[in-house]
């Protein structure tokens, strides 16, 4: 099972060196999705992250407590940024911060008097990270949207799914968290590095559409080399190749097969006793029959029986697990990739560092619980 993490103090971590971002102060203007994920990742890496929320958020279902995984490791203050005094107090915090991240529509922070111009005037070394779906400019910049609409426009959604079927939604991993939050963190870290060289801060414009398009770099390269057909379910990595696909097992569960390389495919053929010529792996005329053989063979045993036979071999086969099953898998358990705290299953910090270990921070506090303490610790008067 996933490890059960112990409880740490509000800003405490286990004994030892801080994470690689220890000493870095981050202000996160409260939002949803990729912005909070980026803040969590920065907190896991050792930054002091203060989430600034609007009044009234405390009543929302995702506010504070063990299940607020994206807010772990952060301190929480409440400011009504529509009030000039509160906006002024935020600017005073900005003077003492290294990073500010926000996820409002373009122009919102400018109207509040806390936009990039206002903040950089107070702190020229500040990294101002902006997280949106469409970006700060372009015809759709002011439009509403969500992960599904952003990845639809980039071509990513249209590339995912079975041949002849509709596009399949890949959760919100590709857009919000892959092309969005991760790229915001990449931009913030790169800008912090530039501050170290030049002493000057800057604005990071992280857009889900840009990051998702960037994630497709390898696919666009294959398309240019005629190694990718611009349709679903007929290509190397979309299930179009029978030895890189998902198959149903006897118990209605599934296994994933990824035997792309010749030696791995040969091992798969041998272990399954398919009776086909492994040297004809890339003879597409054999693929319909091969897919039928694989489907029939995997239907003969349960998922876990196939896992016992094939997992860990060079046949490149793995059981398709659900989220709770993943926590109990011996490999993820050995690496403590997931852990349970206060009954909540969640991911551990990633990636890993040899000298400055990253660690998931403590449970998210109640909204606004740290308002007085943060202003005191940062040496800023509370707004009237």
């Amino acid at each position: 099972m996933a490890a059960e993490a112990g409880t740490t103090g509000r800003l405490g971590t286990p004994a030892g060196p801080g994470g690689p971002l220890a000493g870095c102060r981050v202000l996160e203007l409260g939002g949803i999705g990729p912005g909070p994920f980026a803040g969590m990742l920065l907190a896991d890496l050792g930054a002091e992250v203060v989430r600034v929320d609007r009044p009234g958020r405390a009543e929302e279902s995702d506010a504070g407590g063990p299940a607020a995984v994206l807010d772990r490791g952060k301190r929480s203050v409440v400011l009504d940024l529509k009030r000039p005094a509160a906006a002024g107090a935020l600017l005073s915090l900005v003077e003492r911060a290294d990073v500010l991240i926000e996820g409002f529509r373009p122009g919102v922070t400018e109207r509040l008097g806390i936009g990039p111009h206002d903040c950089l005037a107070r702190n020229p070394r500040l990294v101002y990270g902006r997280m949106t779906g469409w970006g700060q400019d372009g015809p759709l910049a002011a439009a509403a949207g969500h992960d599904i609409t952003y990845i639809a426009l980039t071509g990513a959604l249209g590339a995912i799914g079975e041949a002849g079927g509709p596009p399949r939604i890949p959760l919100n991993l590709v857009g919000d968290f892959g092309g969005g939050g991760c790229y915001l963190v990449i931009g913030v870290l790169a800008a912090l590095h530039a501050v170290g060289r030049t002493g000057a801060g800057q604005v990071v414009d992280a857009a889900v559409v840009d990051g998702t398009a960037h994630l497709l770099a390898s696919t666009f390269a294959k398309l240019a080399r005629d190694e990718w057909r611009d349709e679903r379910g007929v290509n190397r990595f979309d299930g179009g190749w029978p030895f890189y696909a998902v198959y149903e097992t006897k118990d209605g569960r599934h296994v994933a097969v990824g035997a792309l390389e010749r030696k791995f495919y040969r091992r798969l053929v041998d272990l399954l006793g398919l009776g086909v010529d492994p040297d004809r792996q890339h003879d597409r005329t054999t693929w319909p029959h091969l897919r039928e053989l694989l489907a029939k063979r995997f239907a003969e045993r349960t998922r876990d029986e196939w896992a016992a036979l094939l997992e860990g071999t060079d046949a490149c086969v793995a059981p398709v697990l659900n989220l709770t099953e993943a926590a109990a898998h011996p490999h993820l358990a050995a690496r403590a990739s997931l852990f349970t705290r206060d009954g909540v299953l969640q991911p551990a910090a990633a990636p890993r560092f040899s000298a400055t270990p990253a660690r998931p921070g403590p449970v998210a506090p109640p909204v606004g619980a740290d308002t007085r303490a943060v202003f005191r610790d940062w040496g800023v008067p509370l707004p009237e």
Side-chain angles (χ1 to χ4, degrees), residues 2-94:
E4 178 76 33
T7 302
T8 60
R10 285 298 311 281
L11 282 180
T13 58
L21 289 183
C24 179
R25 282 180 165 178
V26 178
L27 293 170
E28 175 196 323
L29 302 189
I32 60 173
F37 175 75
M40 182 202 76
L41 180 48
L42 293 169
D44 284 354
L45 295 176
E48 179 186 351
V49 179
V50 174
R51 175 168 170 135
V52 181
D53 268 309
R54 68 189 185 284
R57 183 177 178 252
E59 288 74 38
E60 297 179 6
S61 61
D62 64 342
V69 174
L70 295 185
D71 288 333
R72 72 186 186 192
K74 303 175 186 178
R75 303 172 90 181
S76 173
V77 306
V78 167
L79 287 174
D80 183 359
L81 294 174
K82 294 180 180 179
R83 296 177 52 241
L90 179 72
L91 290 174
S92 295
L93 292 174
V94 163

Side-chain angles (χ1 to χ4, degrees), residues 99-308:
V99 178
L100 180 145
I101 58 177
E102 58 96 357
F104 299 122
R105 292 198 203 190
V108 170
T109 58
E110 285 86 348
R111 291 194 293 274
L112 293 172
I114 54 172
H117 177 78
D118 306 291
C119 290
L120 286 164
R122 300 286 287 265
N123 180 357
R125 295 176 62 90
L126 182 74
V127 173
Y128 195 107
R130 317 197 78 171
M131 182 74 257
T132 60
W134 305 115
Q136 295 298 312
D137 52 33
L140 294 176
H146 276 295
D147 174 287
I148 191 171
T149 53
Y150 308 140
I151 67 171
L153 209 68
T154 65
L157 181 59
I160 301 171
E162 297 177 359
R168 296 294 185 186
I169 303 170
L171 305 182
N172 57 343
L173 299 178
V174 173
D176 279 350
F177 300 119
C182 282
Y183 274 84
L184 175 58
V185 171
I186 291 168
V188 164
L189 296 180
L192 284 172
H193 179 72
V195 171
R197 288 189 299 106
T198 68
Q202 61 182 302
V203 178
V204 177
D205 174 5
V208 174
V209 290
D210 296 344
T212 302
H214 198 260
L215 289 172
L216 288 165
S218 176
T219 306
F220 280 115
K222 292 179 178 65
L223 186 65
R225 296 194 298 263
D226 292 325
E227 296 174 3
W228 190 273
R229 288 164 55 187
D230 202 3
E231 55 184 289
R232 288 184 292 280
V234 297
N235 297 290
R236 182 184 307 182
F237 297 120
D238 61 6
W241 292 16
F243 39 85
Y244 195 92
V246 173
Y247 292 94
E248 186 173 350
T249 56
K250 184 179 181 179
D251 53 352
R253 297 178 178 181
H254 297 85
V255 292
V257 178
L260 284 177
E261 292 81 358
R262 182 182 299 273
K263 62 181 179 180
F264 301 152
Y265 177 69
R266 183 179 294 274
R267 185 64 173 147
L268 176 71
V269 168
D270 289 344
L271 287 173
L272 295 184
L274 294 180
V276 300
D277 182 358
D279 291 331
R280 297 185 66 187
Q281 177 184 8
H282 292 286
D283 180 351
R284 290 175 178 262
T285 64
T286 70
W287 284 6
H289 178 59
L290 175 62
R291 193 181 294 273
E292 290 179 5
L293 284 178
L294 287 166
K296 182 178 179 180
R297 185 55 49 88
F298 282 119
E300 292 174 356
R301 302 187 187 189
T302 67
R303 182 198 65 181
D304 292 345
E305 287 172 340
W306 283 120

